[in-house]
Structures are given as C-alpha cells and as structure tokens.
Amino acid sequence: MADKLAEYQRMRDFSATPEPAGHVVENTSGRLRFVVQRHRATRLHYDLRLEIDGVLVSWAVPKGPSLDPKRKALAVKVEDHPYAYGWFEGNIGSGYGKGDVVLWDDGWWEPDPAYPESADPAKAVAAGELKFVLHGHKLRGRYVIVHTGGRRKAGGAAPSKNDDDQWLLIHKNDDDAVEGWDPEDHPHSVLSNRTNPDIVEGTPGRWTAPTKAELQALDAIKDKGQWTVAGETTLLTNLDKVFMPGRAGAAGATAAPITKRDIIRYYAQIAPWMTPYLAGRPVNLNRFPDGIVGAKKGFWHKAVPTHAPDFIRRWPNPRASTGETRDYMLVDGAPALVWAANFAGIEIHPWTSTAANPEQPSYALVDIDPGPSTTWDETLTLARLFRVAMTQLDLVARPKVTGQRGIQIWIPIRSGYTFHDTSKFVEALSRTVGRVVPELVSWQWHKNERRGLARLDYTQNQINKTLVAPYSLRPAAGAPVSVPLEWDELDDPKLRPDRWTIRDVLPRLAKVGDPFVAIVGVEQDLPAL
Amino acid sequence: MARPVWTGSISFGMVSIPIRLVPAVRKKSISFNQLDDQTMSRIRYRKVSEATGEEVSQEHIVKAFDMGAENYVLVTDDDLAPLAPAKSKEIGLEVFVPTDDLNPLMFDASYLIIPDKTPKPYALLATAMAGSGRVGIGRFVMRQKEYLAAVRSDGTYLTLSTLVFPDELVDIGTVEGFETLDDVDISDKELLMAKSLVEALSEDFQPADYRDEYRLAVEQIIEQKAAGKVPVFEDAPAAKATVIDLASALEASLRDAKEARAGHPSATSLTAAHGGKPGAKKAAAKKAAPAKSAAKKAAAPKPAVRARKSA
C-alpha cells in the first residue's frame, strides 16, 4: 500500500523539508480525520484533505472552502498525503511547495448518510462525486465535491499544469450554511493561533487569554460548576481544595495555600505565554489528584481519558505499540489547559518534537541536574559554562530555571535533525563542559554512585522523553514555576531556581516579557563537536 | 566489477540456481612495505634452515606436524590427497533454520551471491526466503576446502557467509574470569535502572555513523607527506578543533571568574570577560527569517488576544 504515497514522497526531499515522510496508517478512532491547510506557495491556496483508507486524499482549493452555499470553489485534485501531514504547519524553505503552511481547520468527517453511493468514499472519489459532512472548528455541515473536467488521475498522481484534475467543492444549503462567509476572514491556525506571516517571521502564536468577565465568573463558582473560557465549557470540581501549602517563611500572598481554583486560574491566564512551547506537541501530564499536601506522589498520565470532553484535541501516536498510550493530548488553547488543571495535571511536559514529525526534535536540551551536595553557586557555574559554550559555538539558546533545583538550556535547531543527533551533540557538549569542572560533575547513571555531584543529563533528548514546559507549575510548596531567563539573569544575586511562583510569574511577564521568544522560530545548524 | 571467487549453483530440493560469489567485504586497512633506510630498497624474507643458516629451495621444504619436544610427524601431499573434498560446483542447502538460532560468533567471511545465466530462480529463492525469518545452511567446497555456509535473503539480494565449525568456537567453560559472575546479586531496582538506560539509548543501527578514523587519519598523513608537507597530526577533521577551542574558552572563563572573585569578593560573574549577553547579540544575526530583528525581539510581547473561534 506504500505506493499510495509514492508520488508524495517522490516530489519531496525529506532532508530539506520540514514536512513528514509519513506512511499509510490504520484508523483506530473510528472517526475519519479532515484537515484544511492554508498554504502560501507560488499561489495562495487551501488544501482540503480527507482521511480515506489510511492516507489524506487531497484537493488544492485556490479560493478556499466556505460555509457559503453560493460559492462554488474550484478544487484541483493533488497527490495523496500521509496522515501525519494533517498535523503539519511550518515553513517549507525550499523545494516543492516552498512557502508557509498553517493548520487552518481540522476535525472529523463522515460520508453524507443521506447518500448511500458515498458510503464507500474511495469508490465515490474514483467515481467523481463524494458527498460528505465536516465537523470542524470553522467548517461544518454538508458538502459535495464533484469532478468537472481535466484528466482523471489515480490517487497518487500530481496535476500537470495544463491538464488539472478539476473538481468543484460546494457547501449544501443546510443549517450550517452562512452566506458571504469568506475563509480569508479567519486566517488563524486552529493549533497555534498563528497566521501564515507569523510562521515566516517566527512570531509566536498566542492563545486567547480569559477575559475579566470570565475570570470573575470563575471566582463566582462555589466549589463546583461550569466555567466557560474562550468558547469552551468545562465542569470544574473541588475548586477550594488546597493542593499545595504556601511557601514557608514567605510573606503576603506567597505564604497563602494554593487551591485548585488558583491553579486553574493560573493555567488559563498563562495560556497565551505557553502557546509557542505547547502548540502542536503531544503532552504528558504529571498528575496530583490530591495535591501535594500529605506528601502524596504524582503519577504520569499520557492517555487522554475517554471521559475528556470533545474539544480536547487527541493525537493518535502512530508509533504506539499495543498496550502503549495511543491518544495523546495536543493542547490548543486555554480551555485545554483548564481541563488539564481540573484533571489535577499540575505539571505539563510537552514533547520535544511535534505531532507532525515525532522523530524530529525542535530543540537540543541541556539538563543541569544538581546532586544532593551540589550548591546553587555550583549549578550557576555550570550554567555559565554553557553560556560561554553557546557564545563560542555561535548558537542562540536561553536558560530556564526548573522551579525545583536545576537549570536547563534550550537550543533551537533547524528541522532535519534526529534525536540521535541532538543526543550526541548535547552529550559531547556536556562532556566538554564537565571536563573543565570534574569536581562538580558525575557521569555515573546510578544515583548512589554520583557522590552527590551534579549530572549533565543528555539522555532526555529522546522521543517521548520530556522536560517540564516553560511556565509549568511544579509540585512544591508555594507552587514554583519553571521560568525562562535572559543569560545575564544568571548573574543576578537574587536568582534562585524556584524564585518565581504561581503568584508572581504573570507580573514578571508583564514587566520583562518572555526571554524564550528569542529562541522561537530560530533554525540553526548544530556544530560538529 | 569484482571477480567471482567461486562459480557454481545453489541447490535445494529439485531446484538448482546458477550463481557466482564475490567478496562482500573489501578490507581497507593500509599496509606498508618495509625498506632499508640506507639504500631505500625493499626488505625481503628468505626461508632459511635453522641448522645451516642456508636458504632452502622450495623442493626441499616439507610439511610436518609439531608433536612437541622437537618430535615431528611428516605429512605429504599424498597422505592428504584421499581426504580432499570431491570437487563440487554445488552449494547444497540442507536445512532452513531460524535466523536467531545462528550464533553470530560463527560468522566468518561474507560474499554476495550474484545470479548467473538466468535470474528467475534466484529471485524466487530471495523472495521466498525473505519473509520466512530463516537462513539456509549448507556445505560447499572452495579452494580445496570444505566450508559450512549460511545463505540469507533481504528480499532482493542473497548473501552467503561462511561459518566456523562449532568446535572451533572457544568453549566459555574453559575461559577464566567468568566465574566472578556466579555470585552476583542484582536487585530489581538496579535492573530497572539498567533497563531504562538501555531503553533511553535504544535506536536503530546507523552503520553510516561509524568510520575507521584511524585509517582516515593515516591516509591524510600519507597524502600530506606525498605532497611534500610536514604532516600535521590532527586526530580528526576540523570537528575536534571546535572542541579544543571550546574547552579552552571554558577554562579561560573559569580562570576569569576566579580572578574576578579574588578581586571583588562579591563578584561571581563570568560575563565580564565575555562581553555580556552572548545569546542576545547573536540572535539578530542567526534568525532564520530576517524579518525578526533584534529590535522587535527586545519589545516584550503582549499576548495578542485573537478570536480562536471564527464561526
């Protein structure tokens, strides 16, 4: 069946494009996925893709799909795309399809039940007419796509310039129809809230923050109730339950215990700032259903539970083997973070790679993991050595405190590297740093053999190995936060790894912004070490 | 094209597949000649009698088996002649065994099997074996010696590896040093950790990642000397130079920090000697998109509040 994608794969150089090579997949959800991507290539067009028999059967729609039944949109059938492509957005820097792509809409689709001849969609497409229903964020309702002219080609064929495989895409006049609806009026990505220009310019997307009225509504809920934020409603429970004690010895608000309501409010408000680090990435949650009071331990939760609301975006991991988590959550806005917080997911760990390309990391990650006898000054010394290394190697990177004891360095990279590459690079880099301060670092993997020394942990550069997200809470008294830094903050005598908490991160952001903006969208080569 | 080292056929059941064998491995180690540094002439070996010190001509050299204590049993070609394996042009595959049953220590030399005359039976066998997870085991005679051989298929190509005989493998029971393993206790926790480490480092084998660095370095030296240059002993291409620069920069920064501390007891900064914000300076130059200027980055971003839902 691989030949379904032969045309797609022949047209692309996967060492140069960020697009996934992909493969034919098996559908396990019972729902067929659809996506629409807005692609500014040689000519602007929208790509409508319907999952049929393990691939995305695709049409390029120059004017874009619409809810307006009066717009009959020309659609040119193009080569089948792999399922993984349906999670892709980014900048195709060269080669076929050069240009920028946003995931403009997605959801699920079904053959229109009113038309038995569309029940077998592959057959219907082959026959030149498919009637279907879209259940998306922007596109909804009944559509028909019908072949009108040009040479018919097999699923794998690409259109030639003069002989396009031409179809028309029409929205039926049903309850979802909206006259005059123009796709160009709704340009933002449903994943990252970015526009096409944002992608080229490396501008971070920002999810919608809760309004004042929405926050007041949260405060008004007693211990349990529905809360609507950014258009989605979640049933919140145990809002006044204390999840973490306040910080011992602290003054004012920082000393107050942290309730579940505080945590939900924090995640709703921090959503816009977390967007660039979570959008399009599967996440693992570290859950503490009873908080940390009573020293309860958390546990990792990867699967989206079946009781999760429909608006939680699920990504079926194609690599998952039987018995492994298959459906991961992709956070796509404040409502998803609110739901996760209500689900007691105190700590959020995004994958280092995206759902579109799980084998390709977006960052090389350095993890300075202090041992029991490592002092804060020693941790800082190690971090500053990495700063020198970054200057020396001419790499853009930024440090972040973990909110616990350590410091991490995030180094953005171009697409095309594997986890093998980043792991080897960070290992070589860490060993070089470690060699100048052998008294501070141990390379023993067994904790008991490290003599209390720090570890420079390069092994986190693996698929589905994760570091805590920027601005995620940590499960400790006072609810400390993992906070990105500017390099010169490493010289601030007031810096502590858990300096900022749930109470003062938003004021810090309002004042100094997010230092990690410097690494968003940066594409750099890893130097040979 | 490599010259075949053997021509014949693979046979199993009633099928006979005409084939040629060429070596699958071309060893690349560099060999040197020995010269007399006074005359620059080649050094030659001669076969010399221990008793007389005189050179012995080929016709007077006989084979003998050392029985110890300077006792030898003479063995002539005539003695061996009846034992020589019958000249055969066939690799008879006797059994097909699961790949995992074959001890990898038995693999000796490897050959590519090339179809001779008609390709179809070859393609048939290659395809048939591919999904089976099995290798064919058989014997054949090459250069007057009988070999045990394993024939494998990757779906398209057949390859053959000669195997050592099982009694040629060193018996682990006779090797000293393993007995220390007998008394080892492993806790579940230790095992779990070791397993997670193995898992963390698990990846697909990428043969291209491994090169014979020593040979490449030797070739480089030869090239330089041939060009009349004094060889520069770099232990690897430019890459390692980066590490040396990096290491010295790191050490310098540590020294600077210590000196700074000595001068100003409160100062712990490493930046003084390194020009402040390293990353920030680079950012503007390294951005993928030129549109992202340093000036733009400096402005703290306000989260843009955009409608997520459009309908």
CSV table of all heavy atoms in Angstrom, one decimal, chain B residues 174-212:
chain,number,residue,atom,x,y,z
B,174,THR,N,36.0,-23.0,29.5
B,174,THR,CA,37.4,-23.2,29.7
B,174,THR,C,38.1,-21.8,29.8
B,174,THR,O,39.3,-21.8,30.0
B,174,THR,CB,38.0,-23.9,28.4
B,174,THR,OG1,37.9,-23.0,27.3
B,174,THR,CG2,37.4,-25.2,28.1
B,175,VAL,N,37.3,-20.8,29.8
B,175,VAL,CA,37.9,-19.4,29.9
B,175,VAL,C,37.8,-18.9,31.3
B,175,VAL,O,36.8,-19.0,31.9
B,175,VAL,CB,37.3,-18.4,28.9
B,175,VAL,CG1,37.9,-17.1,29.0
B,175,VAL,CG2,37.4,-19.0,27.5
B,176,GLU,N,39.0,-18.4,31.8
B,176,GLU,CA,39.0,-17.9,33.2
B,176,GLU,C,38.4,-16.5,33.3
B,176,GLU,O,38.6,-15.7,32.3
B,176,GLU,CB,40.4,-17.9,33.7
B,176,GLU,CG,40.7,-19.2,34.4
B,176,GLU,CD,42.2,-19.3,34.9
B,176,GLU,OE1,42.6,-18.3,35.6
B,176,GLU,OE2,42.9,-20.2,34.5
B,177,GLY,N,37.8,-16.2,34.3
B,177,GLY,CA,37.3,-14.8,34.5
B,177,GLY,C,35.8,-14.7,34.7
B,177,GLY,O,35.3,-13.8,35.3
B,178,PHE,N,35.1,-15.7,34.1
B,178,PHE,CA,33.7,-15.6,34.1
B,178,PHE,C,33.1,-16.1,35.5
B,178,PHE,O,32.0,-15.8,35.8
B,178,PHE,CB,33.0,-16.4,33.0
B,178,PHE,CG,33.3,-15.9,31.6
B,178,PHE,CD1,33.9,-16.6,30.6
B,178,PHE,CD2,32.8,-14.6,31.3
B,178,PHE,CE1,34.1,-16.1,29.4
B,178,PHE,CE2,33.0,-14.1,30.1
B,178,PHE,CZ,33.7,-14.8,29.1
B,179,GLU,N,33.9,-16.8,36.2
B,179,GLU,CA,33.4,-17.4,37.4
B,179,GLU,C,33.0,-16.3,38.5
B,179,GLU,O,32.1,-16.5,39.3
B,179,GLU,CB,34.4,-18.4,38.1
B,179,GLU,CG,35.7,-17.8,38.5
B,179,GLU,CD,36.7,-17.5,37.3
B,179,GLU,OE1,36.4,-17.9,36.2
B,179,GLU,OE2,37.7,-16.8,37.5
B,180,THR,N,33.5,-15.1,38.3
B,180,THR,CA,33.1,-14.0,39.2
B,180,THR,C,31.7,-13.6,39.1
B,180,THR,O,31.1,-13.0,39.9
B,180,THR,CB,34.0,-12.7,39.0
B,180,THR,OG1,33.8,-12.3,37.6
B,180,THR,CG2,35.4,-12.9,39.2
B,181,LEU,N,31.1,-14.0,37.9
B,181,LEU,CA,29.7,-13.7,37.7
B,181,LEU,C,28.7,-14.5,38.6
B,181,LEU,O,27.6,-14.2,38.8
B,181,LEU,CB,29.3,-13.9,36.2
B,181,LEU,CG,29.9,-12.9,35.2
B,181,LEU,CD1,29.5,-13.4,33.8
B,181,LEU,CD2,29.3,-11.5,35.5
B,182,ASP,N,29.3,-15.7,39.0
B,182,ASP,CA,28.4,-16.6,39.7
B,182,ASP,C,27.7,-16.1,41.0
B,182,ASP,O,26.6,-16.4,41.3
B,182,ASP,CB,29.2,-17.9,40.1
B,182,ASP,CG,29.7,-18.6,38.9
B,182,ASP,OD1,29.1,-18.3,37.8
B,182,ASP,OD2,30.5,-19.5,39.0
B,183,ASP,N,28.4,-15.2,41.7
B,183,ASP,CA,27.9,-14.8,43.0
B,183,ASP,C,27.3,-13.4,42.9
B,183,ASP,O,27.1,-12.7,44.0
B,183,ASP,CB,29.1,-14.8,44.0
B,183,ASP,CG,29.7,-16.1,44.1
B,183,ASP,OD1,29.0,-17.1,44.0
B,183,ASP,OD2,31.0,-16.2,44.1
B,184,VAL,N,26.9,-12.9,41.8
B,184,VAL,CA,26.4,-11.5,41.7
B,184,VAL,C,24.9,-11.5,42.0
B,184,VAL,O,24.2,-12.3,41.5
B,184,VAL,CB,26.6,-10.9,40.2
B,184,VAL,CG1,26.0,-9.6,40.1
B,184,VAL,CG2,28.1,-10.8,40.0
B,185,ASP,N,24.5,-10.6,42.9
B,185,ASP,CA,23.1,-10.4,43.1
B,185,ASP,C,22.7,-9.1,42.5
B,185,ASP,O,23.4,-8.1,42.6
B,185,ASP,CB,22.9,-10.3,44.6
B,185,ASP,CG,22.8,-11.6,45.3
B,185,ASP,OD1,22.3,-12.6,44.6
B,185,ASP,OD2,23.3,-11.7,46.4
B,186,ILE,N,21.5,-9.1,41.8
B,186,ILE,CA,21.0,-7.9,41.2
B,186,ILE,C,19.7,-7.6,41.8
B,186,ILE,O,18.8,-8.5,41.8
B,186,ILE,CB,20.9,-8.1,39.6
B,186,ILE,CG1,22.3,-8.3,39.0
B,186,ILE,CG2,20.2,-6.9,39.0
B,186,ILE,CD1,22.2,-8.7,37.6
B,187,SER,N,19.5,-6.4,42.3
B,187,SER,CA,18.2,-6.0,42.8
B,187,SER,C,17.3,-5.6,41.7
B,187,SER,O,17.7,-5.2,40.6
B,187,SER,CB,18.4,-4.9,43.8
B,187,SER,OG,18.7,-3.7,43.2
B,188,ASP,N,16.0,-5.7,42.0
B,188,ASP,CA,15.0,-5.2,41.0
B,188,ASP,C,15.2,-3.8,40.6
B,188,ASP,O,15.1,-3.4,39.4
B,188,ASP,CB,13.6,-5.4,41.5
B,188,ASP,CG,13.2,-6.9,41.6
B,188,ASP,OD1,14.0,-7.7,41.1
B,188,ASP,OD2,12.2,-7.2,42.2
B,189,LYS,N,15.6,-3.0,41.6
B,189,LYS,CA,15.7,-1.6,41.3
B,189,LYS,C,16.9,-1.3,40.3
B,189,LYS,O,16.8,-0.5,39.4
B,189,LYS,CB,16.0,-0.8,42.6
B,189,LYS,CG,15.6,0.6,42.6
B,189,LYS,CD,15.8,1.3,43.9
B,189,LYS,CE,16.1,2.7,43.8
B,189,LYS,NZ,16.8,3.3,44.9
B,190,GLU,N,18.0,-2.0,40.6
B,190,GLU,CA,19.2,-1.9,39.8
B,190,GLU,C,18.8,-2.3,38.3
B,190,GLU,O,19.2,-1.7,37.4
B,190,GLU,CB,20.3,-2.7,40.3
B,190,GLU,CG,20.9,-2.1,41.5
B,190,GLU,CD,21.9,-3.1,42.2
B,190,GLU,OE1,21.6,-4.3,42.3
B,190,GLU,OE2,22.9,-2.7,42.7
B,191,LEU,N,18.1,-3.4,38.3
B,191,LEU,CA,17.8,-3.9,37.0
B,191,LEU,C,16.9,-3.0,36.2
B,191,LEU,O,17.1,-2.7,35.0
B,191,LEU,CB,17.0,-5.3,37.1
B,191,LEU,CG,16.7,-6.0,35.8
B,191,LEU,CD1,18.0,-6.3,35.1
B,191,LEU,CD2,16.0,-7.3,36.1
B,192,LEU,N,15.9,-2.4,36.9
B,192,LEU,CA,15.0,-1.4,36.3
B,192,LEU,C,15.8,-0.2,35.8
B,192,LEU,O,15.6,0.2,34.7
B,192,LEU,CB,14.0,-0.9,37.4
B,192,LEU,CG,12.7,-0.4,36.8
B,192,LEU,CD1,11.9,-1.5,36.2
B,192,LEU,CD2,11.9,0.3,37.9
B,193,MET,N,16.8,0.2,36.5
B,193,MET,CA,17.6,1.4,36.1
B,193,MET,C,18.4,1.0,34.9
B,193,MET,O,18.4,1.8,33.9
B,193,MET,CB,18.5,1.8,37.2
B,193,MET,CG,17.9,2.8,38.1
B,193,MET,SD,19.2,3.3,39.3
B,193,MET,CE,18.7,4.9,39.7
B,194,ALA,N,19.0,-0.1,34.9
B,194,ALA,CA,19.8,-0.5,33.8
B,194,ALA,C,18.9,-0.7,32.5
B,194,ALA,O,19.3,-0.3,31.5
B,194,ALA,CB,20.5,-1.9,34.1
B,195,LYS,N,17.7,-1.2,32.7
B,195,LYS,CA,16.8,-1.4,31.6
B,195,LYS,C,16.4,0.0,31.0
B,195,LYS,O,16.3,0.1,29.8
B,195,LYS,CB,15.6,-2.2,32.0
B,195,LYS,CG,15.8,-3.7,32.1
B,195,LYS,CD,14.5,-4.4,32.4
B,195,LYS,CE,14.6,-5.9,32.2
B,195,LYS,NZ,13.5,-6.6,32.8
B,196,SER,N,16.1,0.9,31.9
B,196,SER,CA,15.7,2.2,31.4
B,196,SER,C,16.8,2.9,30.7
B,196,SER,O,16.6,3.7,29.8
B,196,SER,CB,15.1,3.1,32.6
B,196,SER,OG,16.2,3.5,33.4
B,197,LEU,N,18.1,2.6,31.1
B,197,LEU,CA,19.2,3.2,30.4
B,197,LEU,C,19.3,2.6,29.0
B,197,LEU,O,19.5,3.3,28.0
B,197,LEU,CB,20.5,3.0,31.2
B,197,LEU,CG,21.7,3.7,30.6
B,197,LEU,CD1,21.6,5.2,30.9
B,197,LEU,CD2,23.0,3.1,31.2
B,198,VAL,N,19.2,1.3,29.0
B,198,VAL,CA,19.2,0.7,27.7
B,198,VAL,C,18.1,1.2,26.8
B,198,VAL,O,18.3,1.6,25.6
B,198,VAL,CB,19.0,-0.9,27.8
B,198,VAL,CG1,18.8,-1.5,26.5
B,198,VAL,CG2,20.2,-1.5,28.5
B,199,GLU,N,16.9,1.4,27.4
B,199,GLU,CA,15.8,1.9,26.6
B,199,GLU,C,16.1,3.4,26.1
B,199,GLU,O,15.9,3.7,24.9
B,199,GLU,CB,14.6,1.9,27.4
B,199,GLU,CG,13.3,2.2,26.6
B,199,GLU,CD,12.1,2.5,27.5
B,199,GLU,OE1,12.2,2.2,28.7
B,199,GLU,OE2,11.2,3.2,27.0
B,200,ALA,N,16.7,4.2,27.0
B,200,ALA,CA,17.0,5.5,26.6
B,200,ALA,C,18.0,5.6,25.5
B,200,ALA,O,17.9,6.5,24.7
B,200,ALA,CB,17.5,6.3,27.8
B,201,LEU,N,18.9,4.7,25.4
B,201,LEU,CA,19.9,4.7,24.4
B,201,LEU,C,19.6,3.9,23.2
B,201,LEU,O,20.4,3.7,22.3
B,201,LEU,CB,21.3,4.3,24.9
B,201,LEU,CG,21.8,5.2,26.1
B,201,LEU,CD1,23.1,4.6,26.6
B,201,LEU,CD2,22.0,6.6,25.6
B,202,SER,N,18.3,3.4,23.2
B,202,SER,CA,17.9,2.5,22.1
B,202,SER,C,17.6,3.3,20.8
B,202,SER,O,17.0,4.3,20.9
B,202,SER,CB,16.7,1.7,22.5
B,202,SER,OG,17.0,0.8,23.4
B,203,GLU,N,18.1,2.9,19.7
B,203,GLU,CA,17.8,3.5,18.4
B,203,GLU,C,18.1,2.5,17.3
B,203,GLU,O,18.7,1.4,17.6
B,203,GLU,CB,18.6,4.8,18.3
B,203,GLU,CG,20.1,4.6,18.4
B,203,GLU,CD,20.8,6.0,18.6
B,203,GLU,OE1,20.4,6.8,19.4
B,203,GLU,OE2,21.7,6.2,17.8
B,204,ASP,N,17.7,2.9,16.1
B,204,ASP,CA,18.1,2.0,15.0
B,204,ASP,C,19.5,2.1,14.7
B,204,ASP,O,20.1,3.2,14.8
B,204,ASP,CB,17.2,2.3,13.8
B,204,ASP,CG,15.7,2.0,14.1
B,204,ASP,OD1,15.5,1.1,14.9
B,204,ASP,OD2,14.9,2.7,13.5
B,205,PHE,N,20.1,1.0,14.3
B,205,PHE,CA,21.5,1.0,13.9
B,205,PHE,C,21.8,1.8,12.7
B,205,PHE,O,21.1,1.6,11.7
B,205,PHE,CB,22.0,-0.5,13.7
B,205,PHE,CG,23.4,-0.6,13.4
B,205,PHE,CD1,24.4,0.1,14.1
B,205,PHE,CD2,23.9,-1.4,12.4
B,205,PHE,CE1,25.7,-0.1,13.9
B,205,PHE,CE2,25.2,-1.6,12.1
B,205,PHE,CZ,26.2,-0.9,12.8
B,206,GLN,N,22.7,2.7,12.7
B,206,GLN,CA,23.0,3.6,11.6
B,206,GLN,C,24.5,3.3,11.2
B,206,GLN,O,25.4,4.0,11.7
B,206,GLN,CB,22.9,5.1,11.9
B,206,GLN,CG,21.5,5.5,12.5
B,206,GLN,CD,20.5,5.6,11.5
B,206,GLN,OE1,20.7,5.4,10.3
B,206,GLN,NE2,19.2,5.7,11.8
B,207,PRO,N,24.7,2.3,10.4
B,207,PRO,CA,26.1,2.0,10.1
B,207,PRO,C,26.9,3.2,9.6
B,207,PRO,O,28.1,3.3,9.8
B,207,PRO,CB,26.0,0.9,9.0
B,207,PRO,CG,24.6,0.4,9.1
B,207,PRO,CD,23.8,1.5,9.6
B,208,ALA,N,26.2,4.1,8.9
B,208,ALA,CA,27.0,5.2,8.3
B,208,ALA,C,27.6,6.1,9.3
B,208,ALA,O,28.5,6.9,9.0
B,208,ALA,CB,26.0,6.0,7.4
B,209,ASP,N,27.1,6.0,10.6
B,209,ASP,CA,27.7,6.8,11.6
B,209,ASP,C,29.1,6.4,12.1
B,209,ASP,O,29.8,7.1,12.8
B,209,ASP,CB,26.8,6.8,12.9
B,209,ASP,CG,25.5,7.4,12.7
B,209,ASP,OD1,25.4,8.1,11.6
B,209,ASP,OD2,24.6,7.3,13.5
B,210,TYR,N,29.5,5.2,11.6
B,210,TYR,CA,30.8,4.7,12.1
B,210,TYR,C,31.9,4.7,11.0
B,210,TYR,O,31.6,4.2,9.9
B,210,TYR,CB,30.6,3.3,12.7
B,210,TYR,CG,29.6,3.3,13.8
B,210,TYR,CD1,28.3,3.1,13.5
B,210,TYR,CD2,30.0,3.5,15.1
B,210,TYR,CE1,27.3,3.1,14.5
B,210,TYR,CE2,29.0,3.6,16.1
B,210,TYR,CZ,27.7,3.3,15.8
B,210,TYR,OH,26.8,3.4,16.8
B,211,ARG,N,33.0,5.3,11.3
B,211,ARG,CA,34.1,5.3,10.3
B,211,ARG,C,35.4,4.9,10.9
B,211,ARG,O,35.5,5.0,12.1
B,211,ARG,CB,34.3,6.7,9.7
B,211,ARG,CG,33.0,7.3,9.0
B,211,ARG,CD,33.3,8.6,8.4
B,211,ARG,NE,33.9,9.5,9.4
B,211,ARG,CZ,34.4,10.7,9.1
B,211,ARG,NH1,34.5,11.1,7.8
B,211,ARG,NH2,34.9,11.4,10.0
B,212,ASP,N,36.3,4.4,10.1
B,212,ASP,CA,37.6,4.0,10.6
B,212,ASP,C,38.4,5.2,10.7
B,212,ASP,O,39.1,5.6,9.8
B,212,ASP,CB,38.2,3.0,9.7
B,212,ASP,CG,39.5,2.4,10.2
B,212,ASP,OD1,40.1,3.0,11.2
B,212,ASP,OD2,40.0,1.4,9.6
